[in-house]
Amino acid sequence: MILLSALLLGLVLARSTRDSPSSSPEFNSLQNETTSSPDAYYVRINATALTTVSAWSSTLAPILAAFMMELWSYRTASRLKRLSQGPDKATLPSPYQFVLLLEMVRGSPTILLQQLKYWLCWTRRKTSTVPILRKSVLMLSLVSILSLLIILADTWLHLTTETVSITWSLNSANADDASLKDFGLSLADQGTLELITTDSFDHGWSTVLSESHGCFDTSRLPCSIDTQFEDAGAPLQNFQGVMQILANTSNEFRLQTSNYRNEAITYVIPAAVPASSEFEIDFTGITYGASTTCKPMSAKCGLKQQDDTGFNWEFDCSKQHSSFKHKQNAKQGSLLYENHTLYSDDSYAKSIPWDFQISGEISQGNENGEWFPTKNMVNPAFPAVVMVSENNPGLSQNSDSDIVDIGQLAQAMIAFCKHTIFDVHYSYTNATYSVIDTKVSNQTVADITNIPLMLGHPQHYIESQVDAIMSSSNSTQIVGNYSLTYSQASMAILAGVLDPAAASSIQFRRDILVTRVPKAPLFTLIALNLLFAALGLVLTLSALQTLIGGHDGAVADVKARLGVAGLTAECFEREEDGLLDREIDDETELFGEKYGARGVKVGVQQQQQEGKAKGGWRLKRYDVEEKSRLP
């Protein structure tokens, strides 16, 4: 039992593991809840194999119990010899108590039930239970209880041991050391990991403003405007890249929208993350994002059709203390429309001024000539927008007064918005992006995004989305759709002048299956095994002491006769053979058959009553002549 306990505990301790701590606090949510308990071991060994080892204890315990009572029988034989030689024969067991005693030393736990019946049901008996029997009852009870407890502890361990998943995390700082070998990656996955680490995570997992595009030169237009094309009307820098991002076909960046503190944040993320079949990649990065919130204002601004002759509409928001007003004479067939004006205050009264003059660069492309929107953009800015959809006729035929019919083919709507640009700290965990924290971006970033928006970039993209934006019959849903589209346009412009940068933190994570072994049943089983072994050791020393103390061999002789064999020999072996009177070491030495004697047979005989065979059957020895061996 000591060896089994050592084997079981050694397997658990040698193969135990735990989920490794994440390299960044943002990754702590990835840790499995089952592994946070200090009350269990997590072992990298099959649960069936581990419980099989523990089951050996419960299998051997009942078998070893019989051997332990065999050792106890030496003490019993010694006591029986001393009592038989002593003057007080009343301390010797009665015939039935002797039967119980013989069964006790055989280690049969069922005899305890017979002993209980003897105590409780033999009401007419006059003989008290002698000490030699009581001690044997106590010893067999102790051995049996220990065996039962070992079985129960093993069952408890079986029921509570389970297979669970834990998380191994490998910090990027240690990605090239010996711990990588223990991470369990295949050669291909180690190559993937090496590629990621040697490239310093330069995969666009963070973003920075591009120096090559002149984003830090405050003396010129923002770097989102391409100043190299003097006659192109202030085109966008990296126009193709911006359109690819809006179409979600870029190989470098894409846009992601996440909720953060009840606010939808649209931010720039890498177009793809390296994948592996063996491990997960988690990282945090710094990027830029935007949040746009809008409210419908059509009814408050008096949006209406001018007359019934065409698709003419007008509005005036002066009653809302806003300078936003407009009249439109639209032609049939070109109703799709979106126009936004940026204001610097939330009352939409102070529009962003065009007070930035450039000489020798762009001189065409806007009605103000060389004058451009201010280089001192506010953040947040407040866009006021009017939009008209030509493909959703009849959507305003409901109680929503903020959706206005323009003729029979179009609907119009006004919205006041708030547009904020953020520095975004975000995470990628479990293949999911989420925002960790935000901070309002500085003046440079505000200029990069808002000036192109004031110049009408990318106007054709926003207009192309108007039909989809106004596909709802609910004005709240419409302004929600527009808010998302405006944020996407803003961040696509910004992404066109961003360069990839290193991640803030990174970890490589792998979920593995382990066996969860609760400490309570494990150490209960080990403690019971050791207690059982200690009792066996005590009985062994006691038996050796008894044998060594009995120099004449009498104890071994008496012990050999304490059993069915001894009683059988006493009843049926012939006295004249002299075997019963000599000192023996083994019960087989009591039988003449071992030495070639013949003629003794054991059977039963019915007793005679009044000359007729009517009595009970008794065991009887028959002496016969045997002329040859029976087949």
Side-chain angles (χ1 to χ4, degrees):
M1 301 298 279
I2 295 177
L3 292 177
L4 286 178
S5 298
L7 176 61
L8 179 59
L9 188 59
L11 285 174
V12 170
L13 296 180
R15 302 284 291 174
S16 65
T17 185
R18 278 197 175 273
D19 52 337
S20 56
S22 295
S23 58
S24 178
E26 292 83 9
F27 302 138
N28 289 335
S29 61
L30 300 177
Q31 305 302 109
N32 284 282
E33 295 182 1
T34 55
T35 62
S36 61
S37 172
D39 300 329
Y41 290 107
Y42 300 88
V43 187
R44 296 197 67 197
I45 191 173
N46 184 272
T48 302
L50 192 65
T51 52
T52 298
V53 174
S54 69
W56 291 344
S57 298
S58 59
T59 302
L60 288 177
I63 300 174
L64 293 178
F67 285 100
M68 293 174 70
M69 291 307 298
E70 180 76 9
L71 294 172
W72 173 256
S73 66
Y74 286 97
R75 297 284 294 181
T76 302
S78 177
R79 291 191 185 95
L80 186 62
K81 171 179 170 292
R82 289 200 309 270
L83 293 174
S84 300
Q85 293 174 338
D88 188 7
K89 300 299 187 290
T91 56
L92 292 170
S94 65
Y96 187 71
Q97 289 180 355
F98 188 71
V99 171
L100 294 175
L101 182 64
L102 295 183
E103 292 295 326
M104 295 288 175
V105 297
R106 284 182 56 207
S108 174
T110 57
I111 196 61
L112 293 173
L113 181 60
Q114 297 298 323
Q115 178 67 51
L116 188 62
K117 289 181 179 180
Y118 174 72
W119 282 336
L120 300 179
C121 301
W122 289 34
T123 56
R124 299 179 59 185
R125 67 181 176 88
K126 304 298 183 181
T127 305
S128 61
T129 304
V130 294
I132 189 174
L133 178 60
R134 286 202 301 269
K135 291 180 179 179
S136 294
V137 171
L138 290 176
M139 180 54 64
L140 181 59
S141 299
L142 178 59
V143 171
S144 300
I145 290 173
L146 278 177
S147 298
L148 179 61
L149 289 177
I150 289 174
I151 294 173
L152 293 177
D154 179 52
T155 303
W156 182 19
L157 184 62
H158 272 69
L159 293 176
T160 54
T161 298
E162 58 182 342
T163 300
V164 298
S165 175
I166 68 170
T167 300
W168 273 5
S169 301
L170 187 64
N171 193 324
S172 61
N174 302 320
D176 56 352
D177 64 17
S179 61
L180 178 59
K181 180 179 179 181
D182 296 330
F183 198 60
L185 304 181
S186 64
L187 291 177
D189 288 307
Q190 291 187 39
T192 303
L193 185 60
E194 182 179 359
L195 173 65
I196 296 171
T197 56
T198 54
D199 286 351
S200 301
F201 324 125
D202 194 4
H203 293 271
W205 295 351
S206 286
T207 59
V208 294
L209 294 177
S210 174
E211 291 189 20
S212 63
H213 289 150
C215 290
F216 298 97
D217 183 0
T218 59
S219 65
R220 45 156 286 173
L221 281 172
C223 59
S224 53
I225 301 298
D226 189 351
T227 60
Q228 301 301 316
F229 298 90
E230 296 185 359
D231 297 325
L236 276 178
Q237 186 77 259
N238 191 15
F239 175 80
Q240 183 177 0
V242 172
M243 293 299 103
Q244 287 177 343
I245 291 172
L246 288 172
N248 199 27
T249 59
S250 172
N251 294 324
E252 191 169 29
F253 298 121
R254 67 183 180 89
L255 302 178
Q256 173 71 28
T257 301
S258 300
N259 286 323
Y260 176 70
R261 295 182 178 177
N262 298 321
E263 190 172 12
I265 307 292
T266 299
Y267 50 103
V268 182
I269 61 171
V273 176
S276 167
S277 60
E278 294 293 333
F279 64 89
E280 301 289 339
I281 300 174
D282 306 315
F283 63 87
T284 63
I286 302 296
T287 187
Y288 296 98
S291 171
T292 306
T293 56
C294 299
K295 57 184 178 180
M297 295 293 292
S298 303
K300 293 182 179 180
C301 289
L303 177 62
K304 63 181 180 178
Q305 186 176 6
Q306 295 184 45
D307 52 53
D308 298 331
T309 60
F311 305 99
N312 305 316
W313 47 269
E314 62 181 346
F315 65 88
D316 187 346
C317 298
S318 58
K319 291 184 178 180
Q320 304 301 319
H321 309 288
S322 172
S323 61
F324 189 50
K325 58 183 178 179
H326 189 70
K327 288 185 179 182
Q328 179 73 16
N329 294 317
K331 296 180 181 180
Q332 187 172 356
S334 59
L335 300 179
L336 193 63
Y337 182 85
E338 187 272 346
N339 181 268
H340 55 268
T341 301
L342 265 65
Y343 292 85
S344 60
D345 63 323
D346 58 4
S347 62
Y348 302 87
K350 299 177 181 180
S351 59
I352 300 294
W354 291 62
D355 58 4
F356 182 68
Q357 187 176 19
I358 296 181
S359 300
E361 293 189 10
I362 302 175
S363 59
Q364 299 181 16
N366 63 79
E367 60 183 7
N368 296 300
E370 296 180 351
W371 292 91
F372 284 84
T374 182
K375 286 293 296 294
N376 298 307
M377 282 287 178
V378 294
N379 188 22
F382 300 90
V385 58
V386 57
M387 50 188 160
V388 180
S389 169
E390 61 178 337
N391 293 319
N392 299 301
L395 288 181
S396 63
Q397 304 303 317
N398 53 43
S399 59
D400 197 327
S401 59
D402 283 307
I403 303 176
V404 179
D405 281 338
I406 304 298
Q408 298 179 351
L409 297 177
Q411 291 76 40
M413 186 173 179
I414 295 174
F416 282 181
C417 303
K418 176 183 178 182
H419 178 63
T420 311
I421 305 165
F422 295 103
D423 297 347
V424 176
H425 185 198
Y426 76 101
S427 67
Y428 175 82
T429 55
N430 279 331
T432 301
Y433 289 93
S434 59
V435 176
I436 300 172
D437 194 15
T438 60
K439 182 179 70 173
V440 176
S441 297
N442 60 25
Q443 182 73 53
T444 300
V445 179
D447 288 345
I448 292 172
T449 56
N450 287 331
I451 289 179
L453 287 170
M454 286 190 67
L455 291 172
H457 297 298
Q459 186 74 21
H460 69 283
Y461 169 76
I462 299 178
E463 285 187 348
S464 70
Q465 301 297 310
V466 168
D467 281 340
I469 291 171
M470 295 191 67
S471 62
S472 173
S473 60
N474 182 290
S475 59
T476 302
Q477 292 182 2
I478 291 176
V479 295
N481 295 339
Y482 182 82
S483 298
L484 177 60
T485 301
Y486 196 87
S487 294
Q488 290 172 340
S490 172
M491 286 301 98
I493 293 172
L494 183 57
V497 293
L498 294 180
D499 286 337
S504 302
S505 60
I506 188 171
Q507 74 171 3
F508 306 97
R509 174 173 49 84
R510 185 185 185 193
D511 293 334
I512 61 172
L513 294 178
V514 296
T515 299
R516 183 181 184 275
V517 183
K519 292 181 179 179
L522 173 65
F523 286 111
T524 299
L525 178 61
I526 291 175
L528 290 172
N529 284 348
L530 295 179
L531 185 60
F532 195 81
L535 179 59
L537 181 61
V538 170
L539 291 176
T540 300
L541 295 176
S542 176
L544 290 175
Q545 181 184 18
T546 301
L547 288 174
I548 294 173
H551 298 290
D552 54 359
V555 173
D557 185 14
V558 175
K559 189 266 177 189
R561 299 172 189 269
L562 290 180
V564 176
L567 285 177
T568 302
E570 290 291 341
C571 293
F572 301 111
E573 283 294 321
R574 290 187 291 234
E575 292 284 348
E576 54 268 26
D577 291 340
L579 298 177
L580 300 176
D581 297 330
R582 67 181 185 178
E583 189 175 287
I584 63 171
D585 293 320
D586 185 78
E587 60 186 17
T588 60
E589 298 176 17
L590 294 172
F591 297 93
E593 185 178 351
K594 181 177 181 179
Y595 304 102
R598 292 182 176 182
V600 177
K601 303 293 181 180
V602 178
V604 293
Q605 182 181 50
Q606 191 174 26
Q607 301 305 300
Q608 302 289 325
Q609 291 184 3
E610 298 178 356
K612 297 181 180 180
K614 295 182 179 180
W617 294 82
R618 294 182 58 184
L619 297 174
K620 181 175 176 59
R621 186 185 75 192
Y622 294 95
D623 294 319
V624 298
E625 292 293 334
E626 290 187 274
K627 296 181 179 180
S628 61
R629 292 180 179 269
L630 294 175

